[in-house]
Amino acid sequence: MPNHLVAGLRARAPHPDRRAIETAAGRVLSYRDLDALSGRIARALGALGVRPGDRVAAQVEKSVEALALYLATVRAGAVYLPLNMAYTPGELGYFASDAAPRLLVVDPARRVTLAGLAGGEAGTRIETLGAAGDGTLMALAAGEPPDFADAERGPGDLAAILYTSGTTGRSKGAMLTHDNLLSNALTLAELWRFTAEDVLLHALPVFHTHGLFVATNTLLAAGGAILFLPRFDPAEVLRLLPRATAMMGVPTFYTRLLAEPGLEAAARRLRLVVSGSAPLLADTHAAFRARTGHAILERYGMTETNMTTSNPYDGPRVPGRVGPPLPGVEVRVVDPASGGPLGLGETGMVEIRGPNVFAGYWRNPEKTAAEFTADGWFVSGDLGQFDGTGSLAIVGRAKDLVITGGYNVYPKEVEEAIDALPGVVESAVIGLPDADLGEAVTAVVVRAREGGPDAEAVLGALAGRLARFKQPRRVVFVDELPRNAMGKVQKAALRAHFTP
Ligand code: MLC
Ligand code: AMP
């Protein structure tokens, strides 16, 4: 048995001399180089005691080595668990205890702070990897030979666990199989016409589905090249865009690029511009088209399902719609109360079934059971509506979620942190429209009559406890929260009231 994901990605591998990755600083790795790098790391993982099925967690800066660590983990038959660099040590402690990784790879600057996470149920070891490819893991890998026999793994074996914030405040690990990732990569490569001639500008983080799987796996599956930027920086994107044939991003990338005078010239060689992870405003779509001639192709996905729908490559890319289901993927819209099917134009819960849908939440069968219907459909928590052409629109969310700059923030987690402060009676966290981030995290707080904190004190107390992107941009105070007859806080009313 081969290694399902790696063998599948290699099936259309170009000549080993072809470019796989080029960094913004001009470092070039061919497919052969990338193979050798991930091979050395895979051997190092083995030397560190990582066995098939073990979890390898990584909270590291974006680098070629970080990407190679992902590939090495999968080649070794282990399960990759990437973590946002913005997570605080407290947040990281939860992931480490829940996932029980055999190995935790961290930035060299954090080794001392995070040393307490070693040991535990899986005997977690800690190694380091820095932005420049430095650190103890690479020192070990450098001493290993480049060839590595990939561990045998079947379609249903786990390749990765990605944590998504939970409505109850605790993150859940979405278990993604080899075939979840491979089937999606092959489908997208074909649908979006990626070939070995393509060069993808990659400015997304590599700890989420979008940057790690949609951008990376799809390009590797097609044998194309990745132009790898350490982060999204508009000036750097404009400098490198003329060399790319395609780019992928969250809507904030495109609104920020529209503020750049050189956009038209830089975008001339592109054949495809993809947006996802959050709703793309019709205005952004129109402005980008007017400036560059490109109709941004919007697609819809989730950590649990990878990509589910996409606007067509040929044919109309309708602003505000995310397109029909991908080939092999089924989507239905149902009445959230009865579960019964709804007709065209009717808004209801989006449910998804197909090879893209994850295997469940890590060590959490109750949550898994709660989010699947009896007949095996995943309940997305998004509200959608089909039109007569079979194209889906995401028109809202049933789940209480804020998406800021493409990052998800579950209000409950922030509310719990605010409610714990002395002098706070209760709070409600909402997302308000924001021209840059799509939605901005906003805290609506009820204080005790005396001795309650001011906005600065609330923000000061959250700093260091919650990742920066979860911290409110604005704190407002009210005498009481609006509630419905059931006593539930009416967040829609709060949003309406505070939207400028
Ligand atoms: C950074 N900050 C954010 C933020 N990103 N705050 C709220 N929301 C965000 N998204 C903080 C910074 O820490 C900083 O704090 C301050 O805001 C200003 O930072 P900035 O320099 O303006 O932000 P920047 O670093 O440029 O980041 C913005 C961004 C980035 C949009 C480029 O957030 C990003 O790369 N987002 C992509 C997210 C993503 O990949 N999502 C895919 C999920 S997968 P301070 O303290 O310095 O002021 C998924 C499935 C699917 O959803 O369908 O794809
Ligand atoms: P995540 O859990 O980080 O993977 O975020 C997934 C969520 O992002 C989905 O459930 C949607 O709410 C949202 N999302 C992703 N793509 C789109 C899109 N094109 N339009 C609207 N919402 C989207």
Side-chain angles (χ1 to χ4, degrees), residues 237-247 257 262-273 288 291-294:
V237 170
L238 286 200
R239 181 175 76 83
L240 294 165
L241 211 49
R243 297 186 24 215
T245 62
M247 100 166 256
L257 285 177
L263 178 61
E264 295 77 354
R268 217 163 275 149
R269 203 190 141 204
L270 291 175
R271 69 164 183 86
L272 178 65
V273 180
F288 203 88
R291 290 273 301 278
T292 67
H294 291 289

Coordinates of all heavy atoms in Angstrom, one line a residue, residues 237-247 257 262-273 288 291-294:
V237 N 3.4 41.9 -2.5 CA 2.6 41.2 -3.4 C 2.6 41.8 -4.8 O 2.8 41.2 -5.8 CB 1.1 41.2 -2.9 CG1 0.1 40.7 -4.0 CG2 1.0 40.3 -1.7
L238 N 2.6 43.2 -4.8 CA 2.7 43.9 -6.1 C 4.0 43.6 -6.8 O 4.1 43.5 -8.0 CB 2.5 45.4 -5.9 CG 1.0 45.8 -5.6 CD1 0.9 47.3 -6.0 CD2 0.0 45.0 -6.4
R239 N 5.1 43.6 -6.0 CA 6.4 43.3 -6.6 C 6.5 42.0 -7.3 O 7.0 41.8 -8.4 CB 7.5 43.4 -5.5 CG 8.9 43.2 -6.0 CD 9.9 43.4 -4.9 NE 10.0 42.3 -4.0 CZ 10.7 41.2 -4.2 NH1 11.4 41.0 -5.3 NH2 10.8 40.3 -3.3
L240 N 5.8 41.0 -6.7 CA 6.0 39.6 -7.2 C 4.9 39.1 -8.1 O 5.0 38.2 -8.8 CB 6.1 38.6 -6.0 CG 7.4 38.9 -5.2 CD1 7.3 38.2 -3.8 CD2 8.6 38.4 -6.0
L241 N 3.7 39.8 -8.0 CA 2.6 39.4 -8.8 C 2.8 39.3 -10.3 O 2.3 38.4 -11.0 CB 1.4 40.4 -8.6 CG 0.0 39.8 -8.6 CD1 -0.2 38.5 -7.8 CD2 -1.0 40.9 -8.2
P242 N 3.6 40.1 -10.9 CA 3.9 40.0 -12.4 C 4.5 38.7 -12.7 O 4.4 38.3 -13.9 CB 4.8 41.2 -12.7 CG 4.6 42.2 -11.6 CD 4.3 41.4 -10.4
R243 N 5.0 37.9 -11.8 CA 5.6 36.6 -12.1 C 4.7 35.5 -11.9 O 5.0 34.3 -12.1 CB 6.9 36.4 -11.3 CG 7.9 37.5 -11.7 CD 9.2 37.4 -11.0 NE 9.5 36.1 -10.6 CZ 10.3 35.8 -9.6 NH1 10.7 36.8 -8.8 NH2 10.5 34.6 -9.3
A244 N 3.5 35.8 -11.3 CA 2.5 34.7 -11.0 C 1.5 34.6 -12.1 O 1.1 35.6 -12.8 CB 1.9 35.1 -9.6
T245 N 0.9 33.4 -12.2 CA -0.3 33.2 -13.0 C -1.6 33.2 -12.2 O -2.6 33.3 -12.8 CB -0.2 31.9 -13.8 OG1 -0.1 30.8 -12.8 CG2 1.1 31.8 -14.6
A246 N -1.4 33.0 -10.9 CA -2.7 32.8 -10.1 C -2.4 33.3 -8.7 O -1.2 33.3 -8.2 CB -3.1 31.4 -10.0
M247 N -3.4 33.7 -8.0 CA -3.3 34.0 -6.6 C -4.5 33.6 -5.8 O -5.6 33.5 -6.4 CB -2.9 35.5 -6.3 CG -3.9 36.5 -5.9 SD -3.2 38.0 -5.3 CE -3.4 37.8 -3.5
L257 N -5.4 45.3 -1.6 CA -4.7 45.5 -2.9 C -5.4 46.6 -3.7 O -4.7 47.3 -4.5 CB -4.7 44.2 -3.7 CG -3.7 43.2 -3.2 CD1 -3.9 41.9 -4.0 CD2 -2.3 43.6 -3.3
G262 N -0.5 50.5 -8.1 CA 0.2 49.7 -9.2 C -0.5 48.4 -9.5 O 0.0 47.6 -10.2
L263 N -1.8 48.2 -9.0 CA -2.4 46.9 -9.1 C -2.6 46.5 -10.5 O -2.4 45.4 -10.9 CB -3.8 47.0 -8.3 CG -4.6 45.7 -8.4 CD1 -3.9 44.5 -7.8 CD2 -6.0 45.9 -7.7
E264 N -3.1 47.4 -11.4 CA -3.4 47.1 -12.8 C -2.2 46.4 -13.5 O -2.3 45.3 -14.0 CB -3.8 48.3 -13.6 CG -5.1 49.0 -13.2 CD -4.9 49.9 -12.0 OE1 -3.8 49.9 -11.3 OE2 -5.9 50.6 -11.6
A265 N -1.1 47.1 -13.4 CA 0.1 46.6 -14.1 C 0.5 45.3 -13.5 O 0.9 44.3 -14.2 CB 1.2 47.6 -14.0
A266 N 0.5 45.2 -12.2 CA 1.0 43.9 -11.5 C 0.2 42.7 -11.9 O 0.7 41.6 -11.9 CB 1.1 44.2 -10.0
A267 N -1.2 42.9 -12.1 CA -2.1 41.8 -12.3 C -2.2 41.3 -13.7 O -2.9 40.4 -14.0 CB -3.5 42.2 -11.8
R268 N -1.4 41.9 -14.6 CA -1.6 41.7 -16.1 C -1.4 40.2 -16.5 O -2.1 39.7 -17.3 CB -0.6 42.6 -16.8 CG -1.2 43.1 -18.1 CD -0.5 44.3 -18.7 NE -0.9 45.6 -18.1 CZ -0.1 46.6 -18.0 NH1 1.2 46.5 -18.3 NH2 -0.5 47.7 -17.5
R269 N -0.4 39.5 -15.8 CA -0.2 38.1 -16.3 C -1.1 37.1 -15.7 O -1.0 35.9 -16.1 CB 1.3 37.8 -16.0 CG 1.9 36.8 -16.9 CD 3.3 36.3 -16.4 NE 3.4 34.8 -16.6 CZ 4.2 34.1 -15.9 NH1 5.0 34.6 -15.0 NH2 4.2 32.8 -16.1
L270 N -1.8 37.5 -14.7 CA -2.6 36.5 -13.9 C -3.7 35.9 -14.8 O -4.2 36.5 -15.7 CB -3.4 37.2 -12.8 CG -2.5 37.7 -11.6 CD1 -3.4 38.4 -10.6 CD2 -1.8 36.5 -10.9
R271 N -4.0 34.6 -14.6 CA -5.1 34.0 -15.3 C -6.2 33.7 -14.3 O -7.3 33.4 -14.7 CB -4.7 32.7 -16.1 CG -4.3 31.6 -15.2 CD -4.3 30.2 -15.9 NE -4.0 29.2 -14.9 CZ -4.9 28.6 -14.2 NH1 -6.1 28.8 -14.3 NH2 -4.5 27.6 -13.3
L272 N -5.9 33.6 -13.0 CA -6.9 33.3 -12.0 C -6.7 33.9 -10.7 O -5.6 33.9 -10.1 CB -6.9 31.7 -11.8 CG -7.9 31.1 -10.8 CD1 -9.3 31.3 -11.2 CD2 -7.6 29.7 -10.6
V273 N -7.8 34.5 -10.1 CA -7.7 35.1 -8.8 C -8.8 34.5 -7.9 O -10.0 34.6 -8.3 CB -7.9 36.7 -8.9 CG1 -7.9 37.3 -7.5 CG2 -6.9 37.3 -9.8
F288 N -12.4 45.2 -8.3 CA -11.3 44.5 -8.7 C -11.4 44.2 -10.3 O -10.4 44.3 -11.0 CB -11.2 43.2 -8.0 CG -9.8 42.6 -8.0 CD1 -8.9 43.0 -7.0 CD2 -9.4 41.7 -8.9 CE1 -7.6 42.4 -7.0 CE2 -8.1 41.2 -8.9 CZ -7.2 41.5 -7.9
R291 N -10.7 47.4 -12.2 CA -9.2 47.8 -12.2 C -8.4 46.8 -13.0 O -7.4 47.2 -13.7 CB -8.7 47.8 -10.8 CG -9.3 49.0 -9.9 CD -8.5 50.3 -10.1 NE -7.1 50.1 -9.7 CZ -6.6 50.2 -8.4 NH1 -7.5 50.4 -7.4 NH2 -5.4 50.0 -8.2
T292 N -8.7 45.5 -12.9 CA -7.7 44.5 -13.4 C -8.3 43.7 -14.6 O -7.5 43.0 -15.2 CB -7.3 43.5 -12.4 OG1 -8.4 42.8 -12.0 CG2 -6.8 44.2 -11.1
G293 N -9.6 43.7 -14.8 CA -10.2 42.9 -15.8 C -10.5 41.5 -15.2 O -11.1 40.7 -15.9
H294 N -10.1 41.2 -14.0 CA -10.3 39.8 -13.5 C -11.6 39.8 -12.6 O -11.7 40.6 -11.7 CB -9.1 39.4 -12.6 CG -7.9 39.2 -13.4 ND1 -7.7 38.1 -14.2 CD2 -6.7 39.9 -13.4 CE1 -6.6 38.2 -14.8 NE2 -5.9 39.2 -14.3

